[in-house]
């Protein structure tokens, strides 16, 4: 996504250390350990699974915007809560088209997708045989030996 948008990207981020003077300083995890990088803004950041959890959302704001929609998603008139959109304009979300953002139609939708799916097949695996194992060391050792002999693992 970053490449398509022409933006910088930092992957495997653990922590955003600072954002100032048009640059973000980010701590990231790499194979050899931890690395601190600095990237000019705007930047796309992907977060590592070991990063700190996101802070909880503000419950009052969540409830305030609970029914926010773009005009295309509006419930039909006469349904519960349809009056809210007239009373509270902040519930109307902007909806932009490709033309609104000066986008290239050829880079959108199916035509713009870098992935082309040629066929989709349903595959159903059927067990030819099954074995029931106990938690004993002998059963587990026997299964590992069998998997190694048949070159399924190893």
């Amino acid at each position: 996504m970053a490449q398509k948008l022409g933006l910088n990207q930092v992957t495997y981020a653990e922590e955003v250390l600072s954002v100032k003077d048009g640059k973000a300083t980010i701590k990231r995890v790499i194979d050899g350990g931890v690395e601190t990088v600095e990237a000019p803004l705007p930047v796309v950041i992907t977060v590592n699974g070991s990063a700190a959890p996101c802070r909880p959302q503000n419950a009052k704001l969540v409830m305030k915007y609970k029914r926010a929609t773009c005009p295309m998603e509006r419930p039909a008139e006469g349904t519960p809560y349809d009056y809210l959109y007239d009373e509270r304009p902040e519930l109307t979300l902007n909806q932009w088209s490709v033309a609104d953002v000066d986008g290239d139609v050829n880079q959108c939708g199916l035509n713009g997708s870098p992935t082309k799916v040629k066929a989709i097949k349903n595959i159903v695996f059927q067990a030819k045989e099954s074995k029931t194992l106990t938690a004993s060391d002998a059963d587990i050792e026997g299964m590992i030996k069998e998997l190694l002999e048949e070159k399924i693992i190893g």
Side-chain angles (χ1 to χ4, degrees):
M1 180 177 17
Q3 182 180 13
K4 286 231 176 236
L5 295 171
L7 300 173
N8 297 302
Q9 177 178 347
V10 177
T11 57
Y12 302 110
E14 279 261 318
E15 181 181 358
V16 177
L17 301 172
S18 70
V19 178
K20 60 183 176 187
D21 301 325
K23 294 180 183 177
T25 306
I26 302 161
K27 182 170 84 173
R28 63 187 294 251
V29 176
I30 57 173
D31 286 339
V34 178
E35 173 181 62
T36 301
V37 295
E38 191 175 82
L41 298 175
V43 62
V44 174
I45 301 171
T46 62
V47 180
N48 193 16
S50 62
C54 296
R55 67 175 184 213
Q57 295 179 348
N58 180 323
K60 286 183 181 180
L61 284 179
V62 170
M63 293 309 292
K64 180 179 178 179
Y65 294 103
K66 179 179 178 179
R67 304 206 185 278
T69 60
C70 60
M72 191 169 93
E73 300 173 313
R74 285 283 151 72
E77 286 190 36
T79 57
Y81 310 109
D82 69 334
Y83 64 91
L84 287 175
Y85 301 105
D86 293 328
E87 293 177 8
R88 297 171 47 199
E90 70 270 11
L91 293 180
T92 301
L93 302 176
N94 289 335
Q95 185 173 348
W96 296 331
S97 69
V98 176
D100 293 332
V101 295
D102 281 337
D104 182 358
V105 177
N106 295 323
Q107 290 186 342
C108 297
L110 186 59
N111 291 338
S113 175
T115 306
K116 303 294 182 204
V117 178
K118 292 182 180 179
I120 298 173
K121 296 180 182 178
N122 288 332
I123 299 173
V124 178
F125 291 104
Q126 301 203 359
K128 294 180 182 173
E129 64 179 78
S130 64
K131 294 183 181 184
T132 304
L133 300 176
T134 65
S136 72
D137 289 343
D139 278 357
I140 295 171
E141 186 177 327
M143 178 56 73
I144 291 174
K145 284 181 182 177
E146 185 179 330
L147 293 171
L148 286 169
E149 288 170 1
E150 294 180 18
K151 305 225 184 290
I152 295 172
I153 63 171

